[in-house]
Coordinates of all heavy atoms in Angstrom, one line a residue:
Q25 N 0.8 -1.2 0.0 CA 0.0 0.0 0.0 C 0.9 1.3 0.0 O 0.5 2.3 -0.7 CB -0.9 0.0 1.2 CG -2.0 -1.1 1.1 CD -2.9 -1.1 2.3 OE1 -2.8 -0.2 3.2 NE2 -3.8 -2.1 2.4
R26 N 2.0 1.2 0.7 CA 2.9 2.4 0.8 C 3.5 2.6 -0.6 O 3.6 3.8 -1.0 CB 3.9 2.1 1.9 CG 5.0 3.3 1.9 CD 5.7 3.2 3.3 NE 6.4 2.0 3.5 CZ 7.6 1.7 3.1 NH1 8.3 2.7 2.5 NH2 8.2 0.6 3.4
V27 N 3.9 1.5 -1.3 CA 4.6 1.7 -2.6 C 3.5 2.2 -3.6 O 3.8 3.1 -4.4 CB 5.1 0.3 -3.1 CG1 5.6 0.4 -4.5 CG2 6.3 -0.1 -2.2
A28 N 2.3 1.6 -3.6 CA 1.3 2.1 -4.5 C 0.9 3.5 -4.2 O 0.7 4.3 -5.2 CB 0.1 1.1 -4.4
G29 N 0.8 3.9 -3.0 CA 0.5 5.2 -2.6 C 1.5 6.2 -3.1 O 1.2 7.4 -3.3
A30 N 2.8 5.8 -3.2 CA 3.8 6.7 -3.7 C 3.9 6.7 -5.2 O 4.8 7.4 -5.8 CB 5.2 6.3 -3.1
G31 N 3.0 6.0 -5.9 CA 3.0 6.0 -7.3 C 3.8 4.9 -7.9 O 4.0 4.9 -9.2
G32 N 4.3 4.0 -7.1 CA 5.1 2.9 -7.7 C 4.4 1.7 -7.9 O 3.2 1.6 -7.6
T33 N 5.1 0.7 -8.5 CA 4.5 -0.6 -8.8 C 5.2 -1.7 -7.9 O 6.4 -1.8 -8.0 CB 4.7 -1.0 -10.2 OG1 4.0 0.0 -11.1 CG2 4.1 -2.4 -10.5
P34 N 4.4 -2.4 -7.0 CA 5.1 -3.3 -6.1 C 5.2 -4.7 -6.7 O 4.2 -5.2 -7.3 CB 4.1 -3.3 -4.9 CG 2.8 -3.0 -5.4 CD 3.0 -2.1 -6.7
L35 N 6.3 -5.3 -6.7 CA 6.5 -6.7 -7.0 C 6.9 -7.5 -5.8 O 7.9 -7.1 -5.1 CB 7.6 -6.9 -8.1 CG 7.3 -6.4 -9.5 CD1 8.6 -6.7 -10.4 CD2 6.1 -7.0 -10.1
V36 N 6.2 -8.5 -5.5 CA 6.5 -9.3 -4.3 C 7.4 -10.5 -4.6 O 7.2 -11.1 -5.7 CB 5.2 -9.9 -3.6 CG1 5.5 -10.7 -2.4 CG2 4.2 -8.7 -3.3
V37 N 8.4 -10.8 -3.7 CA 9.3 -11.8 -4.0 C 9.2 -12.9 -2.9 O 9.0 -12.6 -1.7 CB 10.8 -11.3 -3.9 CG1 11.8 -12.4 -4.2 CG2 11.0 -10.2 -5.0
A38 N 9.1 -14.2 -3.3 CA 9.0 -15.3 -2.4 C 10.0 -16.3 -2.7 O 10.4 -16.6 -3.8 CB 7.6 -15.9 -2.5
H39 N 10.6 -16.9 -1.6 CA 11.6 -18.0 -1.7 C 11.1 -19.2 -0.9 O 10.9 -19.2 0.3 CB 12.9 -17.5 -1.1 CG 14.1 -18.5 -1.3 ND1 15.2 -18.4 -0.6 CD2 14.2 -19.6 -2.0 CE1 16.0 -19.4 -0.9 NE2 15.4 -20.2 -1.8
N40 N 10.9 -20.3 -1.7 CA 10.4 -21.5 -1.1 C 9.1 -21.3 -0.2 O 9.0 -21.6 0.9 CB 11.4 -22.2 -0.2 CG 12.6 -22.7 -1.1 OD1 12.4 -23.0 -2.3 ND2 13.8 -22.9 -0.5
A41 N 8.1 -20.6 -0.9 CA 6.8 -20.3 -0.2 C 7.0 -19.3 1.0 O 6.0 -19.2 1.7 CB 6.1 -21.6 0.2
K42 N 8.1 -18.7 1.1 CA 8.2 -17.7 2.2 C 8.4 -16.3 1.5 O 9.3 -16.1 0.7 CB 9.5 -18.0 3.0 CG 9.8 -16.9 4.1 CD 11.1 -17.2 4.7 CE 11.5 -16.1 5.7 NZ 12.8 -16.3 6.3
V43 N 7.5 -15.4 1.9 CA 7.6 -14.0 1.4 C 8.8 -13.3 2.0 O 8.9 -13.2 3.2 CB 6.3 -13.2 1.7 CG1 6.4 -11.8 1.2 CG2 5.1 -13.9 1.0
L44 N 9.6 -12.7 1.1 CA 10.8 -12.0 1.5 C 10.6 -10.5 1.6 O 11.2 -9.8 2.4 CB 12.0 -12.3 0.6 CG 12.4 -13.8 0.5 CD1 13.6 -13.9 -0.5 CD2 12.8 -14.4 1.8
G45 N 9.8 -10.0 0.7 CA 9.5 -8.5 0.7 C 9.1 -8.1 -0.7 O 8.6 -8.8 -1.5
V46 N 9.3 -6.8 -0.9 CA 8.7 -6.1 -2.1 C 9.8 -5.4 -2.8 O 10.7 -4.7 -2.2 CB 7.6 -5.1 -1.6 CG1 7.1 -4.3 -2.8 CG2 6.4 -5.8 -1.0
I47 N 9.8 -5.5 -4.2 CA 10.6 -4.6 -5.0 C 9.8 -3.4 -5.4 O 8.7 -3.6 -6.0 CB 11.1 -5.4 -6.3 CG1 11.8 -6.7 -5.9 CG2 12.0 -4.5 -7.1 CD1 12.0 -7.6 -7.1
Y48 N 10.3 -2.2 -5.2 CA 9.6 -1.0 -5.5 C 10.1 -0.6 -6.9 O 11.2 -0.2 -7.1 CB 10.0 0.1 -4.5 CG 9.4 1.4 -4.6 CD1 9.7 2.4 -3.7 CD2 8.6 1.8 -5.7 CE1 9.1 3.7 -3.8 CE2 8.1 3.0 -5.9 CZ 8.3 4.0 -4.9 OH 7.8 5.3 -5.0
L49 N 9.1 -0.8 -7.9 CA 9.4 -0.3 -9.2 C 8.8 1.1 -9.4 O 7.6 1.3 -9.1 CB 8.7 -1.3 -10.3 CG 9.3 -2.7 -10.4 CD1 8.5 -3.5 -11.4 CD2 10.8 -2.6 -10.7
K50 N 9.6 2.0 -9.8 CA 9.1 3.4 -9.9 C 9.0 3.8 -11.3 O 9.9 3.6 -12.2 CB 10.1 4.3 -9.2 CG 9.7 5.7 -9.1 CD 10.6 6.6 -8.2 CE 10.1 8.0 -8.1 NZ 11.1 8.8 -7.3
D51 N 7.8 4.5 -11.6 CA 7.6 5.1 -12.9 C 8.4 6.4 -12.9 O 8.1 7.3 -12.0 CB 6.1 5.4 -13.2 CG 5.4 4.2 -13.8 OD1 5.9 3.8 -14.8 OD2 4.4 3.8 -13.2
I52 N 9.3 6.6 -13.8 CA 10.1 7.8 -13.8 C 9.4 8.9 -14.6 O 9.3 8.7 -15.9 CB 11.5 7.5 -14.4 CG1 12.2 6.3 -13.7 CG2 12.4 8.8 -14.3 CD1 12.4 6.5 -12.2
V53 N 9.0 10.0 -14.0 CA 8.4 11.1 -14.7 C 9.5 11.8 -15.5 O 10.5 12.1 -15.0 CB 7.7 12.0 -13.7 CG1 7.1 13.3 -14.4 CG2 6.6 11.3 -13.0
K54 N 9.1 12.1 -16.7 CA 10.1 12.8 -17.6 C 10.5 14.2 -17.1 O 9.6 14.9 -16.5 CB 9.5 12.9 -19.0 CG 9.4 11.6 -19.7 CD 8.8 11.9 -21.1 CE 8.7 10.6 -21.9 NZ 8.2 10.8 -23.3

C-alpha cells in the first residue's frame, strides 16, 4: 500500500513459499 500510494508498482518476492519482501518499481516522470 505504501509503494502504490507513492505512485510505484510493487513486485512481491517469495523464496520456497516464504515471502521475503517487495521490489519498488518506480515510474520515472520525464
